[in-house]
Amino acid sequence: MGLQIIKPDTKIDFIGFRKIAFLISALVILMGLGSLVMQGGPKYGIDFAGGMIVQIKTEKQVDVETVKESLADVELPGLVVQRLGLEDDSEFLIRTSSSEVSSGEVRDMLSTALDSGLGKGGFEVQRLEMVGPKVGKDLRTKALEAMFFAVLLIAIYISGRFEQRWTAAAVMATGLFAGQYALALTGMDMAWLIVGMLAITLGLCWYLKLNYALGAVVALVHDVTITVGIFSILGKEFDLTIIAALLTIIGYSLNDTIIVFDRIRENLIGSKGKGEFKSIINTSVNQTLSRTLLTSGTTLLVVLCLYVLGGGVIHDFALALLIGIFVGTYSSIFVASPVLLGFGPTPPEVDEEPEAA
């Protein structure tokens, strides 16, 4: 018998908390969207907006405030100083959004200021990387394309494997690719193209009565929107590592939702129509609760270690995973399942001959 931290006969009424859960989700999403509107969109990092990264290592152990004070008079836009690694490593990352000044000029400006603040020869420039605005725009487009095709293929996958309705999945795939082609002809920005495709995906799920897929896609949108919103509220930058974290969150959230939905489907078949659908969902979530808590808990512990001990380079990546895994676990119970309750289980396809009397 496997490890269980929840008693097998637990009967928590998760569906009964759905209105409170919806209210909490709506408030967090609205706060995130409000932050994005007030800030004019996501705050792009150097990967996407262009700029320079300079990594230095100091001879003596100094704190990050000392480095900031040394660079206080340097006139470079968006200058940010960040500790890299542990305190004993004495390494710092200096970022600037400037892409109009040459790398040589930036090196000279920083060296002069640091010589003055830390003492001549008190540091070493270990690397200097520059990303131009055009390269940054191309990287941003490629990153959004990765998310776009991830959502597109996931929608097709869950409408087939998840629902066991391959005819509907074929219609879904055809509709999505036709919608993608039509939206691409308008020349709209990739970000709006993703929003448009999500709307088409939800519309097709509803029209084709792919209710399990509809619940899963709603949960995915919920998780990514909340993660992006919290990052905007915290003033965090979006770069390639955050896109990688969002793709990881999409995969984790989908896997968690599939576990719950598979159990709902099994219990629904076993009940042979007996009992309320609400009761079947509650039973299924309670039966998978121990597995969900163990999986999410151990994953969160690993990511928490990365967040605390991983250093500045993966700090924001680990933070995005922390938020996403927590929200993904929450949404598989309090968002995806109630959405399924609202639309009902997917009706089986009528393709069998009636049994002879």
Side-chain angles (χ1 to χ4, degrees), residues 303-324:
V303 178
L304 184 63
C305 290
L306 285 177
Y307 177 75
V308 176
L309 305 173
V313 173
I314 61 170
H315 185 270
D316 287 351
F317 173 78
L319 177 62
L321 287 183
L322 273 176
I323 298 169

Side-chain angles (χ1 to χ4, degrees), residues 220 223-224 227 242-255 319-325 327-328:
L220 290 183
D223 300 343
V224 173
T227 305
I242 304 306
I243 296 297
L246 292 177
L247 290 172
T248 307
I249 291 166
I250 289 173
Y252 186 90
S253 173
L254 181 65
N255 179 63
L319 177 62
L321 287 183
L322 273 176
I323 298 169
I325 291 172
V327 176

Side-chain angles (χ1 to χ4, degrees), residues 120-135:
K120 193 167 182 59
F123 71 96
E124 176 191 0
V125 176
Q126 296 190 316
R127 69 176 168 122
L128 191 155
E129 295 178 2
M130 178 177 183
V131 179
K134 185 176 185 309
V135 174

Side-chain angles (χ1 to χ4, degrees), residues 176-198:
L176 284 175
F177 281 110
Q180 186 265 337
Y181 180 75
L183 290 178
L185 288 178
T186 65
M188 66 172 56
D189 186 75
M190 179 56 71
W192 286 110
L193 189 63
I194 292 176
V195 174
M197 288 306 298
L198 283 174

Side-chain angles (χ1 to χ4, degrees), residues 39-60:
Q39 298 184 30
K43 183 180 177 183
Y44 291 120
I46 291 173
D47 289 349
F48 296 152
M52 272 181 238
I53 299 175
V54 183
Q55 183 178 340
I56 66 166
K57 181 177 178 62
T58 58
E59 289 290 327
K60 300 177 182 178

Side-chain angles (χ1 to χ4, degrees), residues 245-313:
L246 292 177
L247 290 172
T248 307
I249 291 166
I250 289 173
Y252 186 90
S253 173
L254 181 65
N255 179 63
D256 215 36
T257 305
I258 283 176
I259 297 294
V260 176
F261 278 7
D262 272 348
R263 184 56 61 91
I264 292 174
R265 197 167 47 198
E266 290 168 5
N267 288 338
L268 197 62
I269 294 171
S271 71
K272 297 180 180 178
K274 298 176 182 176
E276 293 184 2
F277 190 43
K278 175 183 174 182
S279 175
I280 292 173
I281 291 177
N282 265 331
T283 302
S284 305
V285 174
N286 277 290
Q287 288 174 345
T288 56
L289 188 59
S290 184
R291 177 263 173 207
T292 300
L293 292 180
L294 281 171
T295 306
S296 300
T298 49
T299 307
L300 281 171
L301 277 177
V302 173
V303 178
L304 184 63
C305 290
L306 285 177
Y307 177 75
V308 176
L309 305 173
V313 173

